[in-house]
Coordinates of all heavy atoms in Angstrom, one line a residue:
S1 N 41.7 105.9 73.5 CA 42.1 107.2 73.1 C 42.1 107.4 71.6 O 41.7 108.4 71.1 CB 43.5 107.5 73.7 OG 44.4 106.6 73.2
E2 N 42.5 106.3 70.9 CA 42.5 106.4 69.4 C 41.0 106.3 68.9 O 40.7 106.9 67.9 CB 43.3 105.2 68.8 CG 44.8 105.5 68.9 CD 45.3 106.7 68.2 OE1 44.9 106.9 67.1 OE2 46.0 107.5 68.8
L3 N 40.2 105.5 69.5 CA 38.8 105.4 69.1 C 38.1 106.7 69.3 O 37.2 107.1 68.4 CB 38.1 104.3 70.0 CG 38.5 102.9 69.6 CD1 38.0 101.9 70.7 CD2 37.8 102.4 68.3
R4 N 38.4 107.4 70.3 CA 37.7 108.7 70.5 C 38.0 109.8 69.5 O 37.3 110.8 69.3 CB 38.1 109.3 71.9 CG 37.3 108.7 73.1 CD 37.4 109.5 74.3 NE 38.7 109.4 74.8 CZ 39.2 108.6 75.8 NH1 38.4 107.7 76.2 NH2 40.4 108.6 76.2
K5 N 39.1 109.6 68.7 CA 39.5 110.5 67.7 C 38.6 110.3 66.4 O 38.7 111.1 65.5 CB 40.9 110.3 67.3 CG 41.9 110.7 68.5 CD 43.3 110.4 68.1 CE 44.3 110.7 69.2 NZ 45.7 110.4 68.9
L6 N 37.9 109.2 66.4 CA 37.0 108.9 65.2 C 35.8 109.7 65.2 O 35.2 109.9 66.3 CB 36.7 107.4 65.1 CG 37.9 106.5 64.9 CD1 37.5 105.0 65.1 CD2 38.6 106.7 63.6
P7 N 35.2 110.1 64.1 CA 34.0 110.9 64.0 C 32.8 110.1 64.7 O 32.6 108.9 64.4 CB 33.7 111.1 62.5 CG 35.0 111.0 61.9 CD 35.8 110.0 62.7
G8 N 32.1 110.8 65.5 CA 30.9 110.2 66.2 C 31.2 109.2 67.3 O 30.3 108.6 67.8
V9 N 32.4 109.1 67.7 CA 32.8 108.1 68.8 C 33.2 109.0 70.0 O 34.2 109.6 70.1 CB 34.0 107.2 68.3 CG1 34.3 106.3 69.5 CG2 33.6 106.4 67.1
G10 N 32.3 109.0 71.0 CA 32.5 109.6 72.2 C 33.0 108.7 73.3 O 33.4 107.6 73.0
D11 N 33.0 109.2 74.5 CA 33.6 108.4 75.6 C 32.9 107.0 75.8 O 33.5 106.0 75.9 CB 33.5 109.2 76.9 CG 34.4 110.4 77.0 OD1 35.3 110.4 76.1 OD2 34.2 111.2 77.9
Y12 N 31.5 107.0 75.7 CA 30.8 105.8 75.9 C 31.1 104.8 74.8 O 31.5 103.6 75.0 CB 29.3 106.0 76.0 CG 28.6 104.7 75.8 CD1 28.4 103.8 76.9 CD2 28.0 104.4 74.6 CE1 27.8 102.6 76.7 CE2 27.4 103.1 74.4 CZ 27.3 102.3 75.5 OH 26.7 101.0 75.3
T13 N 31.0 105.3 73.6 CA 31.2 104.4 72.4 C 32.6 103.8 72.3 O 32.8 102.6 72.0 CB 30.8 105.1 71.1 OG1 29.5 105.6 71.2 CG2 30.8 104.1 69.9
A14 N 33.6 104.7 72.6 CA 35.0 104.2 72.7 C 35.2 103.1 73.7 O 35.8 102.1 73.4 CB 35.9 105.4 72.9
A15 N 34.6 103.3 74.9 CA 34.8 102.3 75.9 C 34.0 101.0 75.6 O 34.6 99.9 75.8 CB 34.2 102.9 77.3
A16 N 32.9 101.1 74.9 CA 32.1 99.9 74.5 C 32.9 99.1 73.5 O 33.0 97.9 73.6 CB 30.7 100.3 74.0
I17 N 33.4 99.8 72.5 CA 34.2 99.1 71.4 C 35.4 98.5 72.0 O 35.7 97.3 71.8 CB 34.5 100.0 70.3 CG1 33.3 100.6 69.6 CG2 35.4 99.3 69.3 CD1 33.5 101.7 68.6
A18 N 36.1 99.2 72.9 CA 37.4 98.7 73.5 C 37.1 97.5 74.3 O 37.8 96.4 74.2 CB 38.0 99.8 74.3
A19 N 36.0 97.5 75.1 CA 35.7 96.4 76.0 C 35.2 95.2 75.2 O 35.7 94.1 75.4 CB 34.7 96.9 77.1
I20 N 34.2 95.4 74.4 CA 33.4 94.3 73.8 C 34.2 93.7 72.6 O 34.3 92.5 72.5 CB 32.1 94.8 73.3 CG1 31.2 95.2 74.5 CG2 31.3 93.7 72.6 CD1 29.9 95.9 74.1
A21 N 34.8 94.6 71.8 CA 35.5 94.1 70.6 C 36.9 93.6 70.9 O 37.4 92.7 70.3 CB 35.6 95.2 69.5
F22 N 37.6 94.3 71.9 CA 39.0 94.0 72.2 C 39.3 93.5 73.6 O 40.5 93.2 73.9 CB 39.9 95.2 71.8 CG 39.7 95.7 70.4 CD1 39.0 96.8 70.1 CD2 40.3 95.0 69.4 CE1 38.8 97.2 68.8 CE2 40.2 95.4 68.1 CZ 39.5 96.5 67.8
D23 N 38.3 93.3 74.4 CA 38.4 92.8 75.8 C 39.4 93.6 76.6 O 40.1 93.1 77.5 CB 38.9 91.3 75.8 CG 38.3 90.5 76.9 OD1 37.2 90.9 77.4 OD2 39.0 89.6 77.4
V24 N 39.3 94.9 76.4 CA 40.1 95.9 77.2 C 39.2 96.2 78.4 O 38.0 96.3 78.4 CB 40.3 97.2 76.4 CG1 40.9 98.3 77.3 CG2 41.2 96.9 75.2
A25 N 39.9 96.4 79.6 CA 39.2 96.7 80.8 C 38.7 98.2 80.8 O 39.1 99.0 81.6 CB 40.1 96.5 82.0
A26 N 37.7 98.4 80.0 CA 37.1 99.7 79.8 C 35.7 99.6 80.4 O 35.1 98.5 80.5 CB 37.1 100.2 78.4
T27 N 35.1 100.8 80.7 CA 33.8 100.8 81.4 C 32.8 101.7 80.7 O 32.6 102.9 81.1 CB 33.9 101.2 82.9 OG1 34.9 100.4 83.5 CG2 32.6 101.0 83.6
P28 N 32.0 101.2 79.7 CA 31.0 102.0 79.1 C 29.8 102.0 80.0 O 29.4 100.9 80.5 CB 30.7 101.3 77.8 CG 31.1 99.9 78.1 CD 32.2 99.9 79.0
V29 N 29.2 103.2 80.2 CA 28.0 103.2 81.1 C 26.8 103.7 80.3 O 26.7 104.9 80.0 CB 28.3 104.2 82.3 CG1 27.0 104.3 83.2 CG2 29.5 103.7 83.1
D30 N 25.9 102.8 79.9 CA 24.7 103.2 79.2 C 23.6 103.3 80.2 O 23.8 103.2 81.4 CB 24.4 102.2 78.1 CG 24.0 100.8 78.6 OD1 24.1 100.6 79.8 OD2 23.6 100.0 77.7
G31 N 22.4 103.5 79.8 CA 21.2 103.6 80.7 C 21.0 102.4 81.6 O 20.7 102.5 82.8
N32 N 21.2 101.2 81.0 CA 21.1 100.0 81.8 C 22.1 99.8 82.9 O 21.8 99.5 84.0 CB 21.2 98.7 80.8 CG 19.9 98.6 80.0 OD1 18.8 98.8 80.4 ND2 20.1 98.2 78.7
V33 N 23.4 100.1 82.5 CA 24.5 100.0 83.5 C 24.3 101.0 84.6 O 24.5 100.8 85.7 CB 25.8 100.1 82.8 CG1 27.0 100.2 83.8 CG2 26.1 99.0 81.8
E34 N 23.9 102.2 84.2 CA 23.7 103.3 85.1 C 22.7 102.9 86.2 O 22.8 103.2 87.3 CB 23.2 104.5 84.3 CG 23.1 105.8 85.1 CD 22.8 107.0 84.2 OE1 21.7 107.0 83.7 OE2 23.7 107.8 83.9
R35 N 21.6 102.3 85.7 CA 20.5 101.9 86.6 C 21.0 100.8 87.6 O 20.7 100.8 88.8 CB 19.3 101.4 85.8 CG 18.1 101.1 86.7 CD 16.9 100.9 85.8 NE 17.0 99.9 84.7 CZ 17.2 100.2 83.5 NH1 17.3 101.4 83.0 NH2 17.4 99.2 82.6

């Protein structure tokens, strides 16, 4: 929620940063994951 308040950070990018950088159980869905 705090990440999404930053410029240029949408749902996908917020989830990716939360999961990868902070090991939060978030789910970013890019083209690879979607497929």
Side-chain angles (χ1 to χ4, degrees):
S1 61
E2 286 299 313
L3 286 164
R4 280 194 293 268
K5 295 177 184 178
L6 296 172
V9 178
D11 291 347
Y12 165 79
T13 306
I17 297 170
I20 298 170
F22 300 105
D23 213 28
V24 172
T27 309
V29 179
D30 67 356
N32 287 320
V33 175
E34 190 174 69
R35 184 168 57 256

